[in-house]
Amino acid sequence: MAEHSHIEWTEATWNPVTGCSKVSSGCKHCYAERLALRLQAMGSVRYRDGFAIRLHPAVLDLPKRWRQPRMIFVNSMSDLFHDDVPEEFIQRVFAVMHECPHHTFQILTKRSARLREMAPRLDWTPNIWMGVSVENQRVQHRIHDLQTVPAHVRFLSCEPLLGPLNDLPLDGIHWVIVGGESGPGARPMRKEWVLSILDQCRRAQTPFFFKQWGGVRKDRTGRELEGRTYNEMPLQK
């Protein structure tokens, strides 16, 4: 976990679960896997098993110790709805979020089918934002699963954007993040793909956040789109 995060759309990360497995093409160059293996090599106890799924009940109460309100990305190093994470543990994570109304929690998953199946049994307090990753049309079905979830804020992370998404179903979607892949082997993102999503968001009046162009050196490609930076955030209900 980290009290501060360099991820542009959040402020801190909280990882009661670490580790994951690849489920779609967006996972090919997973940054979390690279970081986990690096931490394993450095001797980090939490990553002694590398990127295997591991539960960390000892850090469940960490957000309760943060008194100042924060935007917290839940499981930046895993997927909370991975099949190997027991439902009982997911319920405990939601209980902590319920007990911390001063924070805003952002959850992002690629396991939208399990999310949809479990959603009726979870406590969706207003401070919980729920999102799915959509890197290309092949996984666009995840949006339909998300639209059934009674979260107060539902969002899409189109990162790494690997192809055109010209017909996004944005009904009931409150926020869209777009970004290119970064790091070794980064696959290119075309400008017309980004502009198409921006146009769809404008027509649907959905806030748009442009995270980065990406590339092997993302510090060189930056975050500007058509001469401006897009840092729009959802209006909380």
Side-chain angles (χ1 to χ4, degrees):
M1 80 299 295
E3 293 199 19
H4 303 285
S5 173
H6 295 297
I7 299 172
E8 290 80 356
W9 45 264
T10 195
E11 294 173 337
T13 57
W14 170 45
N15 285 288
V17 182
T18 57
C20 199
S21 56
K22 299 184 190 303
V23 71
S24 62
S25 56
C27 304
K28 184 176 180 180
H29 299 137
C30 177
Y31 79 93
E33 182 179 29
R34 286 200 308 268
L35 179 56
L37 296 178
R38 192 184 314 159
L39 292 169
Q40 181 187 36
M42 294 168 60
S44 169
V45 174
R46 281 166 53 82
Y47 294 94
R48 60 179 174 268
D49 297 317
F51 205 46
I53 289 283
R54 292 293 179 264
L55 310 183
H56 302 283
V59 303
L60 272 174
D61 287 341
L62 182 63
K64 297 180 184 178
R65 300 200 291 270
W66 293 341
R67 294 187 176 183
Q68 294 298 320
R70 300 180 186 193
M71 193 85 70
I72 301 172
F73 181 16
V74 182
N75 277 1
S76 63
M77 295 296 290
S78 184
D79 187 328
L80 186 62
F81 291 93
H82 193 288
D83 285 343
D84 291 345
V85 181
E87 178 170 338
E88 180 273 340
F89 195 81
I90 296 172
Q91 293 281 7
R92 292 176 66 185
V93 172
F94 269 71
V96 172
M97 296 189 289
H98 177 87
E99 294 171 24
C100 297
H102 56 302
H103 295 317
T104 298
F105 294 91
Q106 301 159 307
I107 311 171
L108 188 58
T109 187
K110 290 184 174 70
R111 274 78 177 179
S112 62
R114 191 179 188 209
L115 164 67
R116 182 184 60 189
E117 190 275 327
M118 283 191 58
R121 301 189 294 279
L122 298 172
D123 183 10
W124 295 98
T125 48
N127 62 328
I128 300 174
W129 298 6
M130 187 68 233
V132 295
S133 299
V134 185
E135 65 265 31
N136 56 30
Q137 290 179 347
R138 184 168 296 180
V139 295
Q140 195 163 303
H141 61 87
R142 292 172 183 161
I143 304 173
H144 299 297
D145 290 332
L146 178 66
Q147 287 169 324
T148 70
V149 175
H152 288 249
V153 171
R154 292 177 290 270
F155 68 96
L156 310 182
S157 174
C158 303
E159 183 194 12
L161 185 61
L162 300 176
L165 294 170
N166 294 325
D167 190 22
L168 287 171
L170 293 178
D171 289 345
I173 300 300
H174 307 103
W175 191 32
V176 175
I177 303 165
V178 175
E181 191 167 52
S182 61
R187 291 161 285 183
M189 176 178 67
R190 294 185 181 176
K191 183 177 179 180
E192 59 264 33
W193 302 345
V194 182
L195 292 177
S196 170
I197 296 174
L198 172 60
D199 181 60
Q200 293 174 72
C201 286
R202 287 292 180 261
R203 284 188 273 117
Q205 299 185 331
T206 302
F208 174 86
F209 192 106
F210 185 58
K211 182 169 177 280
Q212 62 184 31
W213 284 105
V216 177
R217 290 284 306 272
K218 70 174 187 177
D219 57 318
R220 293 181 176 177
T221 53
R223 299 190 54 221
E224 285 196 357
L225 173 64
E226 300 282 84
R228 61 164 288 190
T229 302
Y230 291 84
N231 285 331
E232 297 166 5
M233 301 294 284
L235 297 174
Q236 297 189 54
K237 295 181 178 180

